[in-house]
Amino acid sequence: MADDRDPGTPEAVALLQALIREACVNTGDPQSGQEIRSVRVLQRFFAEVPVEMQVLEASPGRASLVVRVRGTEPGAPALGLLGHLDVVPVDVAGWTRDPFGGELVGDDTNGEVWGRGAVDMLYLTSVFACVVREVALAPTPPRGDLVLLAVADEEAGGEFGLRWLLREHSAAVQVTEVLSESGGMRMGDHVAIGVAEKGSAGRRLVVSGVPGHASIPYGAKSAAFEVAEVLQRLSVVQPAIQFGELWAPFVAARVEDPELAERLLDPVRVDAALPQIGGIAGYAHAISRNTISPTVISAGQAHNVIPGEATIDLDIRTLPGTTDDEVDQLLTEMLGPLAGSVRIEHLHGWAASGSPIDTPLFAAIERAVRDVAGAAVVPNLAAGGSDARLFRDRGIPAYGFGLLEPDWSYERYRAHIHGNDERISVGSVDLALRALRQIVADRIG
């Protein structure tokens, strides 16, 4: 394989390294990210290339780039390649190498590019840009539009990125189908392609007590103690197991032992079987039920004051079909006799989203994965979220794309996203480039 690298792979690797080095870290603060730096990198990459290019800034420095290659046939597909430019923060002490060095470790055929965002998702943003540039420079224009959407603020919900673009500049981001992140990882002999994502139903539990002076606790009722009881109840709550239509394909692709597969398909026995599937058990647990994770806990402001109020923030991820009312009902039932002293507030959230698999774009993905990697595709439900949902909400099919090397299992992929020592193999960049080129030719060539 090393001797058969695509001629475009070195260019994609170099662009990936350049994007990593811009360190567009999104902390959630409106002033963070500063994706304009990576936009400038891409502007230079497309300099003197015959494309339509727009820099759109939601606020100073929070910039996105839209690059469009116009097609020749009215009514042909407009394929959007959706990549984000922001990355999550790092714990520098936990890294073996400079997280923003973009270092190529090993040689340029079998090495790995290290750095925050290498997997999530700058390698794909780079591959997207390279294919758009190739199409723009080709002697024959495409039938349909090809659009690079290199956006800001994906890691914090998109208010300064795609959400803002769709609201304020909808014409600029007009597409009919989309490829984005959350695909390409290996599941047995299959390649997972994202077709759906769980929803988010953030909640804040406001716990009431009776304040008082900490030196005389008699008669007071510390909200901190109440928080402990609420957390205890949360630790034992068991949302109902729900096997959606993507569960059985996942089990078939990942589990070879028929007896174990049978247990995993049984809602009564599935939890006892999860430890036997190794590192993917966490993912399997997450996509077979709604999940509730306490994340931020706060009580009190002064050392000598018994707090009369405390809060618990919950990250709740929901399966398709789950309503806000059902989430509130589950929490109320969990609280039991404590419900009278706990107020449930809604934080940000969104519904689960999905795209059908009987579309021409998904068929093109299947053909490309088969031709480039000799593998079949398994449709995948993502436990987390991405900007792709914003297109799905508008009825536009959007899929999590990628094509990683055979040793890049789901577990390896997940370990690098938001983790220490994030990196991507040159071979995975190469495979994704080859597959994407074929998909683009298939859909709009």
Side-chain angles (χ1 to χ4, degrees), residues 114-267:
W114 284 55
R116 173 57 85 221
V119 176
D120 182 19
M121 63 169 292
L122 297 181
Y123 95 93
L124 273 177
T125 303
S126 301
V127 166
F128 289 167
C130 286
V131 171
V132 170
R133 191 173 187 272
E134 287 178 10
V135 171
L137 292 172
T140 303
R143 293 184 303 108
D145 287 8
L146 182 61
V147 188
L148 172 65
L149 306 168
V151 302
D153 199 37
E154 187 275 343
E155 297 291 0
E159 192 55 45
F160 296 95
L162 184 60
R163 190 184 298 276
W164 176 80
L165 288 168
L166 288 167
R167 185 174 65 245
E168 304 294 335
H169 298 278
S170 59
V173 297
Q174 185 66 42
V175 296
T176 61
E177 54 191 33
V178 173
L179 296 179
S180 191
E181 61 183 326
S182 299
M185 64 290 286
R186 301 299 180 112
M187 288 192 178
D189 295 330
H190 292 68
V191 172
I193 295 296
V195 302
E197 300 174 358
K198 292 183 75 175
S200 176
R203 295 292 187 271
R204 174 169 291 158
L205 303 182
V206 182
V207 183
S208 298
V210 178
H213 198 290
S215 67
I216 307 176
Y218 183 81
K221 184 181 180 183
S222 175
F225 288 141
E226 296 295 295
V227 162
E229 291 190 41
V230 172
L231 290 173
Q232 174 61 29
R233 287 180 169 271
L234 280 171
S235 71
V236 298
V237 67
Q238 295 289 339
I241 293 168
Q242 303 176 56
F243 294 151
E245 61 182 9
L246 299 179
W247 178 256
F250 157 70
V251 172
R254 185 55 197 255
V255 180
E256 295 181 0
D257 179 355
E259 189 275 333
L260 178 57
E262 182 182 353
R263 292 168 61 198
L264 289 167
L265 294 171
D266 182 347

